[in-house]
């Protein structure tokens, strides 16, 4: 509780949510005729780095969604528990290594 990490506080309140997503299917010819936003900038981050960052964020959010306090834990000999700070440390190390060398994982 109260620790600083990139996704806010660890106290995750599970409340029901409703979301609506709209998808528009357009012909390629129609898209080619549209004018791009004037102040839009092309991303300088390559697609692999962008994918990796999104993957890290998704993993951390997914793992954090299962967070419970020690008082909420019920003993279950068949399950293993990993402290959230271990996942956060892995996340930060992976980000640091990716920033230093985006292809570090190939070695």
């Amino acid at each position: 509780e109260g620790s600083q990490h990139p996704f806010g506080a660890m106290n995750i309140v599970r409340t029901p949510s409703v979301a609506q997503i709209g998808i528009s299917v357009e012909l390629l010819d129609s898209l080619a005729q549209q004018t791009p936003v004037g102040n839009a900038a092309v991303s300088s981050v390559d697609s692999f780095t962008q994918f990796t960052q999104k993957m890290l964020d998704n993993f951390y959010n997914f793992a954090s969604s299962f967070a419970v306090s020690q008082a909420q834990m019920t003993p279950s000999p068949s399950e293993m528990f990993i402290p959230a700070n271990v996942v956060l440390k892995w996340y930060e190390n992976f980000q640091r290594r990716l920033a230093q060398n985006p292809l570090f994982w190939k070695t």
Side-chain angles (χ1 to χ4, degrees), residues 25-32:
V25 178
E26 305 289 338
L27 295 173
L28 288 177
D29 294 337
S30 173
L31 292 176

Side-chain angles (χ1 to χ4, degrees), residues 29-48:
D29 294 337
S30 173
L31 292 176
Q33 295 173 7
Q34 293 183 6
T35 306
V37 177
N39 61 352
V42 176
S43 174
S44 62
V45 178
D46 67 64
S47 62
F48 173 75

Side-chain angles (χ1 to χ4, degrees), residues 19-26:
Q20 184 174 3
I21 297 175
I23 298 173
S24 175
V25 178
E26 305 289 338

Side-chain angles (χ1 to χ4, degrees), residues 3 15 19 31-33 39-40 61 72-73 85 89 98-99:
S3 64
T15 57
L31 292 176
Q33 295 173 7
N39 61 352
N61 287 334
Q72 294 171 315
M73 295 174 83
N85 65 336
K89 184 176 180 179
L98 185 64

